[in-house]
Amino acid sequence: MSSPASTPGGRKRGRNTNPPTPSSEDPTSPPSQRRRGQDSSTGDLMPMPTSPATDILSPAAPQDTSLLSSPRPSGMTCLMPPNEVDMSSPLMYGTPSSRIEGTPRSGVRGTPARQRPDLGSVRKAPQVDLHSDADGAVASESNAGQRLVIWGTDVNVGTCKEKFQRFLQRFVDPTSTEDENAGLDLNEPLYMQKLEEVQFLLRNINVSPLVPQISSFDAELYRQLTCYPQEVIPTFDMAVNELFFERFPDSFLEYQIQVRPYNAVKTKSMRSLNPEDIDQLITISGMVIRTSQLIPEMQEAFFQCQVCAYSTRVEVDRGRIAEPAVCRHCNTTHSLALIHNRSVFSDKQMIKIQESPEDMPAGQTPHTTIVYAHNDLVDKVQPGDRVNITGIYRAVPMRVNPRQSNVKSVYKTHIDAIHFRKTDEKRLHGLDEEAEQKLFTEDRVQTLKELAAKPDVYERLSSALAPSIYEHEDIKKGILLQLFGGTRKDFSQTGRGNFRAEVNILLCGDPGTSKSQLLQYVYNLVPRGQYTSGKGSSAVGLTAYVMKDPETRQLVLQTGALVLSDNGICCIDEFDKMSDNTRSVLHEVMEQQTLSIAKAGIICQLNARTAVLAAANPVESQWNPKKTTIENIQLPHTLLSRFDLIFLMLDPQDEAYDRRLAHHLVSLYYQTEEQMEEEFLDMAVLKDYIAYARTYINPRLSEEASQALIEAYVDMRKIGSGRGMVSAYPRQLESLIRLAEAHAKVRFSEKVETIDVEEAKRLHREALKQSATDPRTGFVDISILTTGMSATARKRKEEVTQALKKLIQAKGKTPAMKYQQLLDDLRGQSETAITKELFDEALRALADEDYLTVTGKTVRLLA
Amino acid sequence: MPSTHDWINDPVGVVEGMFAASQSNPSSGWEARAVEFFKDRLKEKDAHTLVPSLNDIPMHYLKPNSLVKFRCFIQDMFDPEFYMGVYETVDPATQAKTLRCGKYKDVTECGVDFNSKNTVTAERQTFYCVPIPGENPWVKERYANSSQARVVPSTSYVPSRQKRSYEEDDDMDTQPQKQREAHAGPQSPTEHHGNGDCKRQETEAPSSQMTSASHLDLNFPLPGEKGPSCLVKVYEDWDSFKLNDMLEVYGILSVSPALSALADEKDASSNLLDPTESMETAEEQRVHCPPASLVPRLHMLYAKQLQHNNPLLPSAATSEDNSAFLASTLSEMPSVREELLAYLTHVLLGDALAAEYLILHLISNVYVRRDVLPLGKFTLNMSGCPTVASYTERLYQIIQQLVPSSHYLGMSLQNMNQIRLVPKKDYVANRLVSGALQLAKNTSLYLDETQLEQGQLDTTGVRNVTALGNLISWQKVDYDFNYHQMEFPCNINVLIASEGRSLLPSDCQIHLQTQVAPSHLEEYLSTMHMLSQASSQLNKFRIYLSVARLLDYSISDEVTKSVEDDFVDMRKDDPQSISAEDLHRMLVVARLLSLSQGQTSLSRDSWLRAKHIEALRRSRMEQHKCVNGNEP
């Protein structure tokens, strides 16, 4: 193994010929270009074949203070810290937290600075001419004569710090919607309040500015932050700590405050990372697929002489420790031994993230990226989490072989994480997390708004839905409204919990009427959709199951389709073929929108705010128009009443329809792709439109709309009351409200107006007309869906029973009768047709009254 | 300009020459010109046949850093990597600095100056490619025979050479002598034709070498596959490639031993201090950096997306060539069709209708997708297959002779419960573990359901059956990415042979009506197989099937009208008789029927004929309703 190639000093400044870059350097030139040439000289990209080039991860702390304090002559290694004595205390060894570096800092008063391995070797990079920097905090921009910058960048520490302090002191964000800012006065400087919070809690909550906020406050500062995060963030740290201790001089913090800016606008997709992004601040979103165990990384080795107990510390230099051969104190050779307990380690973890499926182009496999998390960020994320990571993109050359001088010409890339933001964490708070995920460009928003302004947007969108499926306009409209969903309301204060905002739809009808196709289409359209088939899915597959992880042998909860489609749509095909057991799970999901699990010692309630789109086939494989919906699909009415809309997809069997259908199908087979596209809206536009509306539009009922809804409901109740039936239930009213809200969302309207209610009413009536029409009377009867039997059917049963009783009584005292004989007699007597089923039911009713018993083919009177 | 064979034997030299020349003029775009240069060379008549192919020449006969081609299938895509596009080296003796080009190379030269500001970082993508899964032997043979590449002249073949390790071979300093030998071979084209036989002898001998490498899982989609797999480095336009594409890659072969050294160097001390390396698990190392002697690297200069892998068709290098070829075959198509029909009727035990449907199935192709609906697929369920004398397997052998790639999947209970059909992402090794349904387009998947017996499907079995069902209904496979599934569209011709109606969905079911008594079946089959040896006829069939798939197709307005009228009339008579789904099927049948006759637009006659054979088929189904146990 070769020794480090050069002295630290020499390495620091690879090319001394290059003077500190003056501010005249064009700040607009692509920084990555500039930096790449100097990568190695700044140390972070030191591609030495002989060393693994890990110095980027070596400690930053001891020296990052040198930014402000006068530079230490010894440079890299700090052999004798001033308060070495403290270190010998047995309580003070081990973790980095116990380090009392005690570097004098203005106003910081010995609060230990924590290392920031995430920022890499800051200590090497900035070689500012510090003469001008003694009073950096007051140096103003006008002080141009003294503007000296960090080598290789155009960052002036003083100016930068001042700007950031100004940002902290003045930034007000009255429009903030961040839930973590709850309780803060939005009209006061946001970050000053946060600092007060720090003071109050005496603990270190990270002060994490949103990068866009900085951008809106000071564009120049923002540019520097994204281009030179490694230099700028420590400057921010300094700024915030100075500010803090200035304001609260008596407070004591365990560590200094660390600034973790997040949500850089630089990059959104992993796929678009390219060499230009190296060493820049980036934000990418992805899913964590693997985390390594905690890796203790030695930052500083502690050696003690076995002879005279003289101790010395050696810093890790590019992944290596140069063991001192001679004790400086007693001059014994090879007497120094490494004391592990007193060496300094920092936590590190490797995390692998993978592109989120939404970001991927079709037909390609997802990319993965390695992320290193340090210190605080270790163990913050778990596999399966969706995260937004803000960090610095790094590239390190790969070493082939220490004995070979040629290098594999490939760099290893990774991201040093500065900030994690779990995107699904917010789902627990019940907020729509897509706000963070899906950012729309100005143009896109503009086109979407233009589209929304068109009067026929509703029709346009509904016809754009599954264009290959012919007609069924109302069903498509219903599904469209389902895609948009209602407004989420929270009534937990008044004890009713959350109101369901999702619209549930059931499609039933003849086989081969492209129900499955519609489901497939919806499943492909929504980002968080799940598709299951009733036949193949068990209750477990839908909800959640507990399994033993083969690696860790721990019990883990695996979520099923319903939980996975939280905030999405769960498409269930062959709903009728589902076992009763499975279906019962749906009861809770479809109204309470939660899922309770109690198995294998795990008791929990999961959110399942999913809309259900189900398809069911009639029991007799062909729809029997003489029967009610319940009879046709044989589903429990308790479940059916949870569907907002139930549509029948039937073969209409009329000539004009056939002709249009034939034309549609044939054209499907010969039209070219382009022709089809002209006719219909692009699927991508539709997707964005829905995502936008779901995120930004939260319609509320207007006064007129409320009135209209009330009237509609009262009307619905009235229909039935005339005939002694209940024709509407509060559930129907809720459905109407949801549908009206969804329709308002389609129009991008923040207010539910009368037209929305009108459409909701119409659609609801259409669906009812199809599914809740009593085949005997032709009237719409909601009790078919709510109780499983129409009111007329009940009345009819009653009549037949009475008639039968009379018939038997008229026959006189005959203790036993032939079944067939009795049926024939009844038929002969009655003017309406009596089916065998009806007769059986009547017999059963009489048997219940203990009037008679039926044994085989004979009917016996009991009385 | 480099001479003809320089660009095959020393493409790196060509690239470097261009790079050096561009240094005086930085904006010359030498990269584009280099790619152009190779493209132009390959366009020359038969030039591509001169390039040795990784498919049929064992790797140790190929010279490192020479131009090779590889007919392959993208099995997995790795993460993009950054490399030193341009770097500077310092001569330790003279301190002279030289700019070098890192493109198309894995390893840099000695003495890289990392502090140079001239270093340019560039990006490239790696694909893991395997030979086309299920490629039938006749295809391989035919491609190998058409190659004129002379790699190692047999005259210079010394047995001892085989035993030399790659490390020695790669040592460039000892190379000149061998290079001369290599040059001597291809200089006179007349000579090597005579040597053809020797060459084949050589290439066959070392096949055992490949199998010895089996400890390394090469991740082939289908079990029992052989051949080299390759890490293809792509320098431009990698977004245009998709998983499961068939490619013919022309690129620079790199088998530098330094690459394999990386994997071996695993001493504990360096591990401890080198976190970048300890991050990668051993599995990941093995997959992403396998020894170059087993999985060579191929630096892509040019790649052609293959529409088909039928060696009998022109490889579509020039479009006018192609159209001429199409025109010539088009006229012959009806007659070839007759012959094929007769042959298949014979094979299908005298059932002409089933033979007709089999032809339609073999030329079917998903030609477009309307949102989620794939159009043109034609999954055939051939029910009523005799279970004696392993008839279904014989049938597969016949199909294997006709189509370029195919796969036989016996649907035995054991198979269904054990086989991995759906590819799955292995996050530990960070690769996509292949499954039997990861197939290239137009592969024939033959499902033998006669092998299914009573028993219970376990979880894997249910998942596999669901996957097959999805494949048939939507022509897509949901790859398992553990935390989510990702759907990959595919284009696989599924043929199901079963006794009764299949438990899988299908577009069309035909019940086989054998004209042969079961007692004579054995005898009949033994004579049947003899016929397929007539190779010229077989070649005609092969061309016919591939060409029919490539044809364009349209429906004129009049025919559209008459089809619509027909549909309305049929519905009027009996609404139950024909549904929208039936019309879908009839349109597909009509389309395939026209194409099978070489007609590129639907004629009234074809439509009527489609209706006729559909009616025949349906009437036959009626008779067998009783056999049908499954729900429609």
Side-chain angles (χ1 to χ4, degrees), chain B residues 457-513:
Chain B
L457 287 175
D458 60 18
T459 341
T460 333
V462 173
R463 214 172 288 151
N464 279 341
V465 172
T466 319
L468 283 175
N470 274 339
L471 168 72
I472 292 165
S473 314
W474 308 107
Q475 286 288 335
K476 63 162 192 185
V477 180
D478 288 318
Y479 289 16
D480 182 1
F481 278 79
N482 200 353
Y483 304 101
H484 60 96
Q485 296 196 327
M486 207 142 54
E487 141 186 341
F488 283 85
C490 55
N491 187 355
I492 300 172
N493 295 8
V494 187
L495 177 64
I496 310 165
S498 61
E499 277 176 274
R501 187 172 195 259
S502 168
L503 83 150
L504 294 167
S506 61
D507 294 315
C508 172
Q509 185 205 346
I510 176 111
H511 197 88
L512 206 60
Q513 278 180 344

Side-chain angles (χ1 to χ4, degrees), chain B residues 23-253:
Chain B
Q23 284 315 297
S24 48
N25 175 15
S27 59
S28 61
W30 67 275
E31 282 145 320
R33 272 202 294 128
V35 172
E36 257 333 288
F37 170 81
F38 285 103
K39 266 191 206 165
D40 286 347
R41 287 290 163 284
L42 288 167
K43 255 184 215 151
E44 281 167 26
K45 195 168 163 23
D46 287 343
H48 59 270
T49 59
L50 292 174
V51 181
S53 165
L54 265 180
N55 292 88
D56 34 61
I57 298 168
M59 217 162 51
H60 57 264
Y61 289 105
L62 293 169
K63 224 150 53 60
N65 297 323
S66 64
L67 188 72
V68 294
K69 65 180 173 188
F70 186 35
R71 193 174 65 255
C72 61
F73 166 86
I74 304 177
Q75 192 270 324
D76 195 3
M77 291 164 151
F78 292 158
D79 294 331
E81 56 188 23
F82 293 171
Y83 69 100
M84 288 181 243
V86 178
Y87 60 95
E88 208 164 30
T89 54
V90 187
D91 192 304
T94 61
Q95 295 297 316
K97 291 189 173 184
T98 338
L99 265 191
R100 286 177 192 275
C101 160
K103 219 178 171 186
Y104 309 117
K105 277 180 220 158
D106 280 313
V107 178
T108 58
E109 314 272 324
C110 303
V112 180
D113 175 15
F114 293 102
N115 297 334
S116 165
K117 61 176 176 205
N118 293 322
T119 309
V120 176
T121 312
E123 195 180 1
R124 68 186 176 202
Q125 171 74 282
T126 309
F127 294 154
Y128 184 79
C129 296
V130 296
I132 295 167
E135 197 173 60
N136 284 324
W138 66 267
V139 178
K140 290 198 166 84
E141 216 167 280
R142 183 79 193 197
Y143 269 119
N145 288 347
S146 67
S147 170
Q148 301 173 37
R150 300 291 304 115
V151 184
V152 180
S154 53
T155 44
S156 70
Y157 176 68
V158 205
S160 68
R161 219 187 138 219
Q162 206 176 346
K163 295 212 172 82
R164 292 174 70 177
S165 70
Y166 293 130
E167 278 76 5
E168 279 171 277
D169 274 5
D170 290 328
D171 200 347
M172 289 304 283
D173 295 339
T174 64
Q175 207 57 310
Q177 179 215 351
K178 253 173 265 155
Q179 242 163 28
R180 239 176 294 120
E181 288 170 3
H183 271 284
Q187 231 88 69
S188 57
T190 46
E191 182 195 62
H192 66 243
H193 279 300
N195 287 344
D197 294 339
C198 308
K199 181 193 80 185
R200 227 163 301 140
Q201 276 172 5
E202 264 173 59
T203 54
E204 267 149 33
S207 63
S208 60
Q209 209 246 347
M210 279 297 161
T211 46
S212 73
S214 59
H215 67 273
L216 189 82
D217 179 13
L218 291 179
N219 209 3
F220 293 127
L222 300 176
E225 292 264 296
K226 266 193 229 144
S229 60
C230 208
L231 283 168
V232 177
K233 308 273 181 184
V234 188
Y235 286 84
E236 50 195 7
D237 258 355
W238 49 79
D239 287 342
S240 65
F241 298 103
K242 292 206 159 85
L243 200 71
N244 306 347
D245 273 355
M246 282 192 288
L247 299 179
E248 186 162 58
V249 180
Y250 291 86
I252 300 169
L253 181 72

Side-chain angles (χ1 to χ4, degrees), chain A residues 40 47 352 364 368 411 671, chain B residues 79 82 114-115 241 284 370:
Chain A
S40 47
K352 273 215 156 157
Q364 308 229 333
T368 56
Y411 294 96
Q671 268 187 1
Chain B
D79 294 331
F82 293 171
F114 293 102
N115 297 334
F241 298 103
E284 190 164 348
R370 294 269 183 251

Side-chain angles (χ1 to χ4, degrees), chain A residues 630-734:
Chain A
I630 302 265
E631 287 161 343
N632 260 315
I633 51 179
Q634 297 274 310
L635 282 175
H637 56 84
T638 43
L639 202 52
L640 277 188
S641 65
R642 282 173 164 80
F643 284 102
D644 297 272
L645 298 172
I646 298 174
F647 287 109
L648 297 189
M649 285 182 93
L650 298 180
D651 240 340
Q653 299 178 0
D654 93 84
E655 194 182 322
Y657 172 83
D658 289 347
R659 183 167 294 281
R660 285 196 309 256
L661 175 68
H663 183 76
H664 177 80
L665 288 182
V666 178
S667 68
L668 207 62
Y669 277 83
Y670 78 85
Q671 268 187 1
T672 57
E673 198 86 37
E674 297 82 57
Q675 275 172 303
M676 290 299 275
E677 234 132 72
E678 275 167 29
E679 283 174 48
F680 299 109
L681 229 96
D682 196 9
M683 193 158 161
V685 178
L686 184 63
K687 255 186 189 168
D688 280 1
Y689 193 95
I690 293 170
Y692 185 88
R694 282 183 73 104
T695 317
Y696 297 105
I697 315 286
N698 288 303
R700 299 185 73 91
L701 291 179
S702 67
E703 191 54 43
E704 305 90 72
S706 318
Q707 280 306 321
L709 279 169
I710 293 169
E711 272 167 38
Y713 181 60
V714 170
D715 284 348
M716 278 162 70
R717 297 274 298 186
K718 259 189 213 150
I719 297 174
S721 64
R723 280 174 287 133
M725 302 188 288
V726 181
S727 54
Y729 289 88
R731 262 202 185 136
Q732 270 74 45
L733 178 59
E734 280 174 29

Side-chain angles (χ1 to χ4, degrees), chain B residues 558-575:
Chain B
E558 303 141 56
V559 182
T560 311
K561 188 86 186 68
S562 78
V563 168
E564 284 169 34
D565 289 342
D566 259 6
F567 179 70
V568 173
D569 289 346
M570 281 187 276
R571 295 269 296 182
K572 221 187 284 172
D573 298 344
D574 179 6

